[in-house]
Amino acid sequence: MPPPLRVLIAEDSVLLREGMVHLLRRFGHDVVGAVGDGAALLAAAHRLRPALVVVDVRMPPDFRDEGLRAARRLQSEQPELAVLVLSQYVEQTFADELLEDRRGGAGMGYLLKERIGDVEEFADAVGRVAAGATVVDPEVVRQLLARRPDPLTRLTPREREVLALMAEGRSNAAIARRLVVTEAAVAKHIASILAKLDLPPAPDDHRRVLAVLAYLRV
Amino acid sequence: MFPRNVLEALGYRPLGYLRSKWPLRSLAYLLTGGFFSTALGLALLGVLTAPFGRTAGVLAAVHILAFAVLMAGPFERWRLTLIDSEPLRPLDGWRTVGYGAVSVVAVGWADLAVVLVSIGIPGFLLFAPFQPTAAPWQAFAGPVAGAVLLPIAAYPIGAWAGARGALARAALAPGDGELREVVRSRARLVDAFEAERRRIERDLHDGAQQRLVALNMKLGIAALDVAPGSVAAKEVGEAHTLAKEALAELRELIRGVHPQVLTERGIPAAVRDIAGRSPVPTTVDIDLPERLPPGVEATVYFVVTEALTNIARHSGAGRCRIAARSAEGVLCLEIEDDGVGGADAARGSGLLGLADRIAAADGRMLLSSPSGGPTTIRAEIPCHRPSAS
């Protein structure tokens, strides 16, 4: 089990807030606080100094993007704080904006809220973001892939799967486990994808995510 | 269509106009104006030349003039009903007085002059046989020519009366009229629909969506505790899959009702999102100081979505650019592509739909699409209108 993290949750729906507290505790994390709006999030983050905040984008009082704005502000104030943003829908530019703001080595994630249901993967994503990884929802990647038919048709189905997992910020080992193949096979797929897309090989997972997203987005 | 004023009658059925009531009404309109002015002129001339002293004369003239000017406004309104069946809204005092003054002092004479010239010539010809100096052929041809020219006189009289009526309407009731009211009521309808869509989106977000996410999470947690490979694990797993599918469907449904990105983050993010989904590479350049009224946001979202769909389908464009600015309460949206051009609102229902939607928001759409491209759609939408939200 990974080391417990100090997690702060900001979510206005009581049902979900309690559920997430329960879930993250179940995975051994230390949920130091759970709040229901952006202002409370800022105050609690300053007071409790968590390692990671899990933030719902839409919260009171206006039910617009209070959560996202609070998260971005927190990131500029506490560069070491990892942020996992949860949204009810996929917005292509969230990932861009969040990555833009990324300062230092703090992790950053953007997931659909419904991913919480895949509890183990969600817990895994929480751990990876806290460890400094960049995690982007597979739906973002799927939509980007759907939009770009031409050069990507050169990828084999398996390579597309690997590409999607790469964009989610997974390591070679994690991709290998997920696809039930050897790490060497994954490395070969990745080299082939990067070559087909004319991307420079990047050893670092985070830079690889950026390269892939940047490529898909053009 | 039933003509509501003399200009419409002239335009819709130029021949039917002759048999209608409009020529006589126009004549009455011009004559009443002319006589009023003439009467005023004669009265002024009378008192100024009357033998009861210069000061008294001027004083009387001023009084007559003031009385005429005050009477002229209401009189103009009554006269206007002769040639325009559309009612005017209640009076604006000073405007009426000003228009009355101009009308009675200056324009009334022109009315009379038009009538004299239009009817005078055929009249003179008709009465040719009674002229002592007329030759026999003139006595015969004159009435024939007059009879031909008299109906033709109805046209200049109608046209002049129509122009005067339009002038009177513009001066007495600026910006008024049924059209504006129709636009406003249409805008209110669209706003009401949009407000309802936003409410449905909010309800789905706060209710069904949150509960499904919670259910999904509960099922995920439950799956942790059931023995792997058991019947229960299989059932929970299937329930979990169903919940996830329901969530994905609900997400798409809400997107169709009212996109959450629009609710939460406004136009810049929403437009970038649409652009990001478009198969044509699209750059977005939007600079707005603040959130727009919800109705305007919905209109812009619709316009951008439709325009990009059109561009992807028909233009063959390789690049597209979307720009938006707001100045002096008007939002200016421009969508430009480097495609084949030749887009025509009359042929494609897509463009017509765009224009309709923009018009419903009290805005207007301009299209430039020469054959060979590029195509630019420009939408101007007023933002000041308070929205039903």
Side-chain angles (χ1 to χ4, degrees):
Chain A
M1 189 157 272
L5 293 166
R6 287 173 61 80
V7 182
L8 174 62
I9 295 171
E11 161 66 63
D12 60 304
S13 154
V14 181
L15 200 61
L16 282 180
R17 194 164 66 219
E18 296 307 318
M20 269 195 281
V21 171
H22 173 65
L23 177 67
L24 289 175
R25 288 206 170 126
R26 164 107 196 204
F27 280 89
H29 295 304
D30 179 13
V31 181
V32 294
V35 296
D37 63 68
L41 167 64
L42 290 176
H46 287 177
R47 198 175 69 249
L48 302 167
R49 292 278 157 181
L52 173 97
V53 288
V54 180
V55 191
D56 179 13
V57 170
R58 174 147 132 183
M59 284 196 288
D62 295 332
F63 295 96
R64 286 182 171 176
D65 59 349
E66 291 78 6
L68 187 72
R69 277 188 276 128
R72 294 176 76 164
R73 204 172 131 194
L74 275 181
Q75 276 209 310
S76 64
E77 289 168 6
Q78 304 182 26
E80 74 291 351
L81 178 70
V83 174
L84 176 57
V85 174
L86 297 178
S87 167
Q88 297 274 42
Y89 63 97
V90 172
E91 199 220 310
Q92 304 287 347
T93 48
F94 266 157
D96 284 351
E97 286 173 32
L98 290 170
L99 293 172
E100 228 169 73
D101 284 1
R102 223 182 102 115
R103 288 189 180 79
M108 164 63 66
Y110 163 44
L111 290 176
L112 274 181
K113 230 182 206 182
E114 57 204 65
R115 305 290 174 220
I116 309 171
D118 300 318
V119 287
E120 279 168 318
E121 288 197 29
F122 179 68
D124 181 48
V126 165
R128 281 187 289 132
V129 170
T134 304
V135 174
V136 176
D137 196 275
E139 183 66 17
V140 175
V141 181
R142 193 187 66 76
Q143 287 185 3
L144 287 172
L145 285 173
R147 186 169 71 90
R148 293 290 307 273
D150 17 313
L152 293 166
T153 46
R154 283 182 284 153
L155 301 184
T156 65
R158 182 36 72 92
E159 282 169 352
R160 281 161 169 266
E161 277 181 89
V162 174
L163 180 68
L165 291 167
M166 275 164 73
E168 284 172 45
R170 291 174 197 272
S171 65
N172 288 13
I175 297 174
R177 270 202 307 282
R178 182 71 179 267
L179 299 178
V180 204
V181 294
T182 64
E183 252 189 89
V186 171
K188 211 176 107 226
H189 283 311
I190 290 176
S192 163
I193 292 167
L194 295 179
K196 282 184 184 175
L197 303 185
D198 286 328
L199 291 173
D204 165 358
D205 289 348
H206 170 64
R207 275 218 294 278
R208 201 164 70 179
V209 175
L210 294 191
V212 170
L213 285 178
Y215 171 77
L216 290 175
R217 209 161 270 296
V218 175
Chain B
M1 203 188 289
F2 184 75
R4 285 167 306 184
N5 58 47
V6 59
L7 277 186
E8 286 185 3
L10 268 171
Y12 293 157
R13 287 183 305 141
L15 281 177
Y17 163 79
L18 268 188
R19 290 196 310 275
S20 70
K21 61 186 178 177
W22 295 110
L24 281 179
R25 280 174 164 266
S26 302
L27 187 62
Y29 176 80
L30 295 183
L31 286 179
T32 46
F35 283 140
F36 193 68
S37 294
T38 312
L40 174 69
L42 290 176
L44 290 179
L45 198 69
V47 293
L48 284 175
T49 54
F52 44 68
R54 194 173 183 85
T55 319
V58 169
L59 213 62
V62 167
H63 276 95
I64 291 173
L65 198 61
F67 177 73
V69 164
L70 281 175
M71 289 305 293
F75 181 60
E76 279 296 318
R77 288 172 60 85
W78 170 77
R79 283 202 320 137
L80 198 56
T81 59
L82 286 171
I83 53 159
D84 192 340
S85 56
E86 206 177 319
L88 277 174
R89 71 168 179 197
L91 282 174
D92 167 354
W94 284 111
R95 195 174 268 281
T96 306
V97 170
Y99 177 74
V102 171
S103 175
V104 79
V105 174
V107 196
W109 301 101
D111 294 355
L112 209 56
V114 169
V115 173
L116 285 179
V117 170
S118 303
I119 303 205
I121 295 169
F124 176 77
L125 289 171
L126 276 176
F127 287 95
F130 302 101
Q131 305 281 338
T133 54
W137 71 269
Q138 284 170 329
F140 175 74
V144 175
V148 172
L149 285 178
L150 192 60
I152 293 175
Y155 290 93
I157 287 174
W160 179 251
R164 284 274 282 119
L167 187 72
R169 178 169 284 280
L172 290 174
D176 193 19
E178 193 185 349
L179 258 181
R180 287 203 61 76
E181 188 40 49
V182 167
V183 166
R184 274 198 294 267
S185 79
R186 201 164 46 169
R188 280 197 298 272
L189 258 183
V190 170
D191 265 5
F193 278 127
E194 272 311 318
E196 188 63 9
R197 282 166 162 256
R198 283 196 300 280
R199 189 188 64 72
I200 295 169
E201 184 271 319
R202 214 161 39 225
D203 287 354
L204 286 174
H205 171 270
D206 295 344
Q209 208 175 18
Q210 302 279 24
R211 279 171 201 283
L212 266 178
V213 169
L215 169 70
N216 191 28
M217 178 168 59
K218 290 268 178 209
L219 285 169
I221 295 172
L224 292 177
D225 291 328
V226 294
S230 65
V231 177
K234 184 168 164 286
E235 294 292 334
V236 170
E238 280 173 15
H240 198 182
T241 306
L242 284 175
K244 279 194 262 189
E245 284 168 5
L247 265 171
E249 272 177 33
L250 184 61
R251 182 151 41 81
E252 284 310 304
L253 174 74
I254 293 178
R255 211 174 108 71
V257 172
H258 186 84
Q260 290 176 326
V261 58
L262 195 57
T263 311
E264 292 175 15
R265 315 211 43 228
I267 278 300
V271 168
R272 277 200 301 275
D273 191 53
I274 310 167
R277 292 165 198 271
S278 167
V280 180
T282 302
T283 55
V284 177
D285 170 22
I286 294 183
D287 188 7
L288 301 171
E290 55 193 4
R291 287 285 295 260
L292 302 168
V296 177
E297 285 191 341
T299 303
V300 171
Y301 188 88
F302 177 88
V303 169
V304 172
T305 307
E306 285 295 304
L308 287 191
T309 308
N310 273 344
I311 288 169
R313 258 191 221 148
H314 307 300
S315 76
R319 289 226 150 277
C320 176
R321 180 174 170 276
I322 303 173
R325 296 282 183 280
S326 74
E328 289 165 19
V330 175
L331 175 82
C332 237
L333 172 73
E334 260 187 25
I335 303 166
E336 195 181 338
D337 70 70
D338 63 354
V340 294
D344 184 356
R347 280 185 293 134
S349 60
L351 281 171
L352 214 56
L354 280 190
D356 283 351
R357 181 65 197 254
I358 293 166
D362 208 356
R364 61 176 188 157
M365 181 180 102
L366 306 161
L367 171 73
S368 153
S369 185
S371 188
T375 299
T376 304
I377 293 174
R378 182 186 167 93
E380 295 168 358
I381 305 165
C383 299
H384 48 74
R385 182 163 47 81
S387 252
S389 62

